Amino acid sequence: MKSITLKKVASQGAGLIKVMGMIAIALNLVACVGNAYEEDADRMDVVTIGDSIFDLNGVIEDTLYSYAGQTFRNYTKSGAELSGGALATAIDKQYADAKSTDSNINTVLMDGAGNDILIPATLFDPYGCRTQWYRWNISNRCVGLIEDQYVHAVNLLNQMAADGVNDVVWLGYYELPRGNKNLTQALNLGDDYIAYACEVSGNANCQFVDPRGTVPASQVESDNIHPTPAGSVNLANQIWPVLQPLL
């Protein structure tokens, strides 16, 4: 019979605790506990879809509502990936749900594709999306992951165009500070691809709001991902000049 030493048991237990801890941290960072759909609004033809950048504190939407003097339908979900994912309703599914409730959608405000990078990177970084002292550039696997999100983005935008959506306002991702600073290269490439997706998609007028270089670390929560209320107001103020003429 193979003997198992106390040292080995302790090592295995520590490894399991480390894994469970990393999973718990990941779930906390993507903030999977989100808000319910808001399907009763003043402007039923204006729809917001996306992830916890919008959904977690709700300040971006509230600020835009105050500027517009009216509310929009809101389908954002914390933890949402652009397509697929197990933690929350995916963003393409959010759009499908909005269309199912009321297909008369003229304007879509959204973000997306950040969690597709952040969730695996927060756990074990299997795609090599974090730069390291021994790897100054993101890996080819990470580039491939980002290219996949570009394809999902183009498909979603083309579907919106086919459905008669007139305008899309897509909020990009800002640089993350402190412990997530080494994701900057991956998120920058993701922003570049999403901006390009806005250019090459179908007939829906897609405008990309690029917040890079505008959100200081003081406007990012201690999780190094989500905007503080002040950061959310900052982002809303960047969205509003683009969104206002479409309302």
Side-chain angles (χ1 to χ4, degrees), residues 148-161 201:
D148 287 344
Q149 305 322 308
Y150 163 78
V151 172
H152 292 314
V154 171
N155 288 342
L156 178 56
L157 290 169
N158 285 341
Q159 182 61 57
M160 291 176 182
S201 59

Side-chain angles (χ1 to χ4, degrees), residues 49-54 77 79-82 91 110-118 170-176 183-184 186-192 194-195 208-215 225-227 235 238:
I49 57 177
D51 57 34
S52 55
I53 298 300
F54 282 97
K77 284 290 183 182
E81 297 179 41
L82 188 54
I91 293 167
M110 65 179 296
D111 76 328
N115 279 332
D116 304 80
I117 298 171
L118 288 170
W170 194 312
L171 174 66
Y173 286 84
Y174 45 85
E175 299 90 344
L176 301 181
L183 283 167
T184 297
L187 291 174
N188 276 341
L189 183 61
D191 275 339
D192 290 343
I194 295 300
F208 182 72
V209 177
D210 191 344
R212 287 176 287 184
T214 68
V215 181
I225 294 178
H226 299 101
L235 293 170
Q238 297 183 55

Side-chain angles (χ1 to χ4, degrees), residues 43 45-46 106-108 166-169 205 207 240-247:
R43 287 290 300 273
D45 65 317
V46 182
N106 291 316
T107 303
V108 173
N166 294 323
D167 299 288
V168 179
V169 178
N205 174 37
Q207 299 182 67
W240 180 241
V242 180
L243 180 62
Q244 182 183 22
L246 309 178
L247 298 177

Side-chain angles (χ1 to χ4, degrees), residues 60-101:
I60 295 177
E61 294 97 320
D62 289 344
T63 303
L64 294 174
Y65 296 161
S66 70
Y67 293 164
Q70 53 195 350
T71 58
F72 320 136
R73 284 194 282 158
N74 181 4
Y75 293 80
T76 58
K77 284 290 183 182
S78 295
E81 297 179 41
L82 188 54
S83 184
L87 297 178
T89 305
I91 293 167
D92 55 4
K93 179 64 165 57
Q94 294 170 19
Y95 170 70
D97 289 344
K99 186 173 63 173
S100 176
T101 296

